[in-house]
């Protein structure tokens, strides 16, 4: 990617809005695609992409931002300023290729879960187009837990389903809960595709696990089509991003937290010793004589 230094950013934005046709979303996607095609960029190229992207992000729709975020998710060392702006923040400067990818991945996770169904499909399409897919896990691990997932769904035991899904995907409990309880269903389709769950099993899970999805024939049909169209590599890539989400630290009570709690039943106190009166001694003596 190479832009002429004589063409300032304002001129490009004006060109994007010429003739009443807003091509800024298209322009942002094109420059992002050009950017990720090269593994290494010089300082001038990096600066030009960051300035152009930052000038366009706020002017494009949510689906375009989601698509660009997904495109950059698979690109090592994507500019931090662009990722921060895509996540809804203000840029702190130009790109810094040495920053870790965790903030970018967390931003993509939030973008995916907050996006509408069409935008989620667009994110998955862009993940499918990304290079260097992660290594898929072996099928025996997924097959071992598929039956338990289906049984939990058929029993409408959402808690057990979440626990098994957490283990199967290797994600945090909170994220497994978001996947299972999502009323649109796309995250569950992604999980099923990554685990190698068969289409008919997924349909039964969708039908019983979430009443919002199970009561909509149209939604079940759309999710079944998404499952058929979804590339397993894209699903596994999304799951690998989910695994990077920082789990919430568990809250543990101290081992001896209950030691200082008062006993539920008060301990019986021994009766105080006291000397018997003369009349009491005589009464006891008479009873003994009887």
């Amino acid at each position: 990617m190479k832009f002429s230094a004589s063409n300032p950013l304002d001129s490009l934005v004006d060109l994007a809005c010429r003739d009443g046709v807003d091509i800024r979303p298209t322009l942002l996607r094109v420059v992002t695609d050009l950017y990720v095609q090269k593994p290494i960029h010089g300082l001038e190229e990096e600066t030009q992409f960051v300035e152009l992207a930052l000038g366009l992000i706020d002017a494009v729709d949510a689906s375009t931002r989601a698509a660009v975020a997904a495109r950059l998710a698979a690109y090592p060392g994507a500019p931090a300023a662009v990722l921060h702006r895509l996540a809804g923040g203000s840029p702190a400067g130009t790109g810094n290729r040495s920053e870790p990818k965790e903030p970018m991945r967390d931003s993509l996770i939030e973008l995916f879960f907050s996006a509408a169904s069409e935008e989620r499909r667009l994110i998955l399409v862009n993940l499918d187009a990304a290079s260097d897919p992660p290594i898929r896990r072996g099928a025996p691990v997924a097959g071992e837990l598929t039956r338990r997932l289906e049984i939990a769904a058929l029993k409408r035991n959402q808690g057990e389903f979440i626990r098994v899904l957490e283990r199967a995907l290797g994600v945090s409990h909170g994220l497994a809960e978001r996947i299972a309880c999502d009323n649109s269903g796309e995250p569950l389709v992604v999980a099923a595709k990554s685990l190698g769950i068969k289409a008919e099993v997924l349909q039964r899970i969708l039908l019983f696990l979430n009443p919002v999805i199970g009561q909509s024939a149209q939604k079940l049909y759309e999710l079944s089509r998404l499952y058929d169209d979804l590339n397993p590599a894209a699903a596994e890539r999304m799951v690998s991003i989910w695994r990077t989400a920082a789990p919430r630290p568990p809250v543990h009570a101290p081992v001896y937290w209950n030691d200082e709690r008062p006993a539920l039943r008060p301990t019986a106190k021994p009766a105080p010793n006291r000397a018997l009166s003369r009349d009491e001694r005589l009464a006891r003596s008479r009873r003994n004589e009887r």
Side-chain angles (χ1 to χ4, degrees), residues 23-30 32 56-57 59-71 86 111 119 122-123 126:
I23 64 169
R24 286 175 294 185
T26 302
L27 179 58
L28 180 58
R29 294 187 193 224
V30 169
T32 302
L56 293 171
I57 287 173
V60 300
D61 55 283
S63 62
T64 300
R65 291 195 299 271
V68 171
R71 202 77 171 101
L86 287 169
L111 276 173
E119 296 167 356
L122 186 58
I123 291 174
N126 279 271

Side-chain angles (χ1 to χ4, degrees), residues 3-258:
F3 297 111
S4 173
S6 62
N7 294 329
L9 173 62
D10 292 341
S11 298
L12 288 173
V13 175
D14 291 340
L15 177 63
C17 299
R18 184 173 297 176
D19 298 328
V21 179
D22 189 359
I23 64 169
R24 286 175 294 185
T26 302
L27 179 58
L28 180 58
R29 294 187 193 224
V30 169
V31 296
T32 302
D33 287 340
L34 290 174
Y35 177 80
V36 300
Q37 286 177 11
K38 292 183 62 176
I40 300 176
H41 296 279
L43 179 60
E44 183 181 1
E45 290 181 347
E46 187 88 357
T47 302
Q48 288 172 341
F49 170 72
V50 170
E51 291 180 351
L52 182 57
L54 293 180
L56 293 171
I57 287 173
D58 291 341
V60 300
D61 55 283
S63 62
T64 300
R65 291 195 299 271
V68 171
R71 202 77 171 101
L72 293 175
Y75 188 80
V82 176
L83 300 173
H84 188 58
R85 177 65 69 85
L86 287 169
S90 300
T94 56
N96 182 357
R97 299 179 65 85
S98 63
E99 291 199 16
K101 296 177 63 178
E102 283 74 11
M104 173 267 292
R105 292 179 180 271
D106 291 342
S107 298
L108 180 59
I109 292 172
E110 293 305 319
L111 276 173
F112 182 80
F113 278 97
S114 62
S117 295
E118 290 302 323
E119 296 167 356
R120 289 176 172 182
R121 286 170 170 80
L122 186 58
I123 291 174
L124 294 172
V125 168
N126 279 271
L127 286 177
D128 186 17
S131 58
D132 299 330
I135 299 175
R136 291 179 57 81
R137 289 175 296 171
V141 176
E144 175 186 346
L145 300 174
T146 298
R147 185 179 62 86
R148 292 178 57 188
L149 287 170
E150 183 180 6
I151 292 175
L154 294 178
K155 292 182 178 180
R156 292 185 168 89
N157 189 341
Q158 200 171 71
E160 176 65 13
F161 186 92
I162 292 170
R163 286 189 291 271
V164 178
L165 186 66
E166 174 187 0
R167 177 185 173 189
L169 295 178
V171 300
S172 67
H173 181 82
L175 193 52
E177 185 176 6
R178 294 183 73 177
I179 295 169
C181 299
D182 187 274
N183 288 334
S184 292
E186 291 86 7
L188 199 53
V189 173
V190 172
K193 196 76 172 185
S194 173
L195 294 173
I197 295 177
K198 295 181 179 180
E200 57 271 21
V201 176
L202 173 62
Q203 291 173 357
R204 291 193 290 270
I205 290 175
L206 292 170
L207 184 63
F208 285 91
L209 184 65
N210 191 328
V212 176
I213 299 175
Q215 294 173 5
S216 173
Q218 179 65 27
K219 175 60 70 174
L220 289 171
Y221 172 75
E222 292 174 354
L223 293 175
S224 296
R225 285 198 58 184
L226 174 62
Y227 179 88
D228 293 336
D229 297 338
L230 183 59
N231 191 314
E236 179 62 22
R237 185 173 291 107
M238 177 58 76
V239 171
S240 69
I241 294 173
W242 287 345
R243 293 190 197 112
T244 65
R248 295 179 180 178
V251 178
H252 295 292
V255 176
Y256 301 107
W257 70 274
N258 201 31

